[in-house]
Amino acid sequence: MFRTLLGWSPLVAGLRYLPVGVAMFVGARVAGGLTVRLGPRRATVLFTAIGAAGLLGLAPVLWGGGSLVAIAGPVIAFGFGTAAAFTPLTVSATAGVHSSRAGVAAGVLNTVRQTSGAAGLAALTAVVTIVASSGDSDPRAALAHGYSVAFAVCAGCVVLAGVVAALAMPRTGASEVGDG
């Protein structure tokens, strides 16, 4: 995406994705302690809100040419929030499972996670294609518009996940994490 829209070389594009990886690492490291302190439901809501803010922040940045400085904040928020959200979701999904079934539960969770990611990517690619093909005659502007809409749609999906977590996840206290 950044190579096409901004003309970055493969090396530069790869290096500029590095903040996402670092943010994901930090998010994954911080998530455990915050999940214990806040409880899985509140931690999931917090982390999905951070991830959605990052995605929503990327949408308008692409219209303006997407300088590295403008992109850094949103991609860091996206990486941190989405990676951190996996921990409380995993804790909640496996909390009530008997230890003899923990492997099966984790396997099902990871299968659903991977399948959902692939389906989501396919759907968002379709959004980019549809929006880009029905818009501006300038190919870069049309593609930027398509990606902006796709990021906004993705942000909406992450917000919806946070709302579902707030309404459907057990209201366990932080002291109950790990009991079961």
Side-chain angles (χ1 to χ4, degrees):
M1 169 188 66
F2 293 134
R3 289 191 59 223
T4 305
L5 290 179
L6 306 176
W8 295 347
S9 72
L11 178 62
V12 169
L15 290 173
R16 290 186 174 172
Y17 273 107
L18 189 59
V20 176
V22 171
M24 292 177 93
F25 174 79
V26 171
R29 297 287 298 167
V30 169
L34 284 174
T35 299
V36 170
R37 188 175 312 137
L38 299 174
R41 183 177 57 85
R42 285 184 286 193
T44 300
V45 171
L46 171 66
F47 297 142
T48 56
I50 293 169
L55 286 164
L56 198 55
L58 275 173
V61 166
L62 297 177
W63 281 103
S67 72
L68 178 59
V69 173
I71 290 171
V75 299
I76 289 170
F78 159 72
F80 177 88
T82 55
F86 287 131
T87 298
L89 288 170
T90 301
V91 166
S92 186
T94 59
V97 177
H98 189 272
S99 60
S100 67
R101 300 278 186 192
V104 172
V108 168
L109 176 65
N110 284 319
T111 299
V112 168
R113 188 180 293 161
Q114 293 296 321
T115 305
S116 299
L121 181 60
L124 291 172
T125 300
V127 168
V128 171
T129 303
I130 291 166
V131 171
S133 66
S134 65
D136 200 317
S137 61
D138 174 23
R140 279 196 174 171
L143 196 55
H145 183 101
Y147 278 119
S148 294
V149 171
F151 279 125
V153 168
C154 193
C157 291
V158 175
V159 166
L160 179 61
V163 169
V164 169
L167 298 174
M169 287 178 74
R171 298 182 183 272
T172 58
S175 63
E176 296 172 6
V177 174
D179 294 346

